[in-house]
Amino acid sequence: MRVHRSAHVRDFTVLPNGMLQCRRLSYTARGLLSDLLSRPDGRREDGRHMADTSPQGRGAIRKALKELTAAGYYRVEKIRRPDGTIVTETHVYDTPQLAPPPGATRPVPGRAATGGAGALPKDRHQEPSLPAEQVTAHQEADDQVAEVPDEQFREAVATLFRVIRPEPRLRLGEAEARELAPLVAQWLERGSSPADLAQALLPGLPAPMHSALAVLRYRLERKMPPAPAAVRPAASRYAECAKCHDPVPRPGICGPCAGLAPRPAGIGGGEAVTRTGAARARAALRGCGRSLRPAC
């Protein structure tokens, strides 16, 4: 068999050979899984629509979905929201997932996880999905919680809740707001107002909103205003000699008055030179005044 492949630059999907060559799945199930994985994330699909848009009937599609579910490639969850409504989420994987243990449940927003039929066991040895630099940044932000004073910390939490209140999709719990408080405190320290925070956090939110905490953390970190430039200390004014009133670098008497250096004649000169110069200046001004008077 000779295989001919084309070099694609757009509209293509990369799939693992282990999934495409899985002999536990029928060709119908593998083809259906390839079709689902080629769809964009967030697209709504159900078995009835898939059967109506394919040559196979509903029975074949239903059987293929059961195969994919048993093999760990397909999973449907029902989630109860805090307002009491129930939504259905469909998950498609390109690698088989471990089967959930009996009695485990997926945590619902705003409630603690007590176990149930839809949750997947957490692999404690799995590498973090975030890049290393983002994980480090998150750890540093958590370490800054203890560095923020209590009053400033409470003000940052209250400001965050006040800013996100108009947007119902940005619902946070108290613990989540406390995680973001150090970043909000940095914004406030750098001169930002609640209006600046609202302009940075609220416009252009993604749809659907999977994690309000992650979105807010990303925007607070990426849009952090620059730190104010350090104010240079004003140059100290010169001091005057306690005797001759000439400028000196530090309070006290100058070198000539202390007898440590000769006094320059052209600049300064002490009280005598100052009095002589002032008299000459007054005489020159009087002479200029007489020369400018009009003749009678």
Side-chain angles (χ1 to χ4, degrees):
M1 178 180 66
R2 302 185 62 183
V3 179
H4 303 273
R5 296 186 177 89
S6 303
H8 302 282
V9 295
R10 64 178 62 181
D11 296 334
F12 67 96
T13 303
V14 179
L15 299 175
N17 290 335
M19 181 270 291
L20 296 173
Q21 300 172 5
C22 181
R23 300 305 177 186
R24 295 182 299 156
L25 299 176
S26 63
Y27 287 104
T28 302
R30 279 180 269 174
L32 178 59
L33 180 57
S34 302
D35 184 18
L36 293 175
L37 291 172
S38 67
R39 305 292 183 177
D41 189 18
R43 181 186 177 95
R44 296 183 60 87
E45 286 283 355
D46 57 6
R48 185 177 305 174
H49 179 265
M50 287 184 282
D52 295 339
T53 56
S54 66
Q56 286 84 358
R58 294 185 180 181
I61 297 298
R62 189 182 303 112
K63 180 180 178 181
L65 290 177
K66 288 182 178 180
E67 290 182 40
L68 296 177
T69 302
Y73 291 97
Y74 185 84
R75 179 163 54 89
V76 178
E77 290 182 351
K78 290 186 178 180
I79 302 175
R80 183 182 297 275
R81 293 179 173 175
D83 57 357
T85 59
I86 298 178
V87 296
T88 301
E89 285 185 359
T90 302
H91 299 269
V92 184
Y93 307 93
D94 58 356
T95 54
Q97 304 297 306
L98 296 177
T105 53
R106 183 177 185 269
V108 233
R111 293 171 52 189
T114 57
L120 293 177
K122 181 177 180 180
D123 186 1
R124 298 183 180 274
H125 304 288
Q126 184 179 3
E127 296 182 358
S129 57
L130 289 176
E133 58 272 12
Q134 292 189 19
V135 174
T136 304
H138 293 177
Q139 293 175 351
E140 292 177 353
D142 295 337
D143 295 339
Q144 292 173 355
V145 174
E147 301 177 3
V148 181
D150 291 341
E151 183 178 354
Q152 188 177 1
F153 187 84
R154 289 193 296 269
E155 180 185 359
V157 172
T159 302
L160 178 60
F161 277 127
R162 198 161 52 244
V163 167
I164 66 176
R165 185 180 303 163
E167 179 52 65
R169 291 179 292 174
L170 295 177
R171 293 181 177 177
L172 292 180
E174 182 70 21
E176 293 175 325
R178 293 175 67 87
E179 291 184 27
L180 299 177
L183 294 173
V184 178
Q186 291 184 32
W187 277 71
L188 298 178
E189 288 178 355
R190 299 184 180 187
S192 299
S193 64
D196 298 331
L197 281 166
Q199 183 63 29
L201 300 179
L202 300 185
L205 293 174
M209 177 73 66
H210 295 292
S211 174
L213 175 63
V215 171
L216 291 175
R217 187 194 297 272
Y218 178 84
R219 293 191 173 192
L220 287 170
E221 291 175 349
R222 295 293 180 174
K223 298 184 178 184
M224 177 73 68
V231 180
R232 299 181 59 182
S236 59
R237 300 184 61 183
Y238 66 88
E240 292 185 354
C241 176
K243 291 186 176 181
C244 66
H245 302 290
D246 280 353
V248 291
R250 60 185 63 86
I253 60 175
C254 62
C257 292
L260 302 177
R263 188 180 301 279
I267 301 177
E271 296 181 359
V273 176
T274 301
R275 287 194 296 269
T276 303
R280 289 179 181 178
R282 286 193 293 270
L285 290 174
R286 286 196 295 271
C288 292
R290 287 195 297 268
S291 62
L292 293 177
R293 291 176 183 176
C296 297

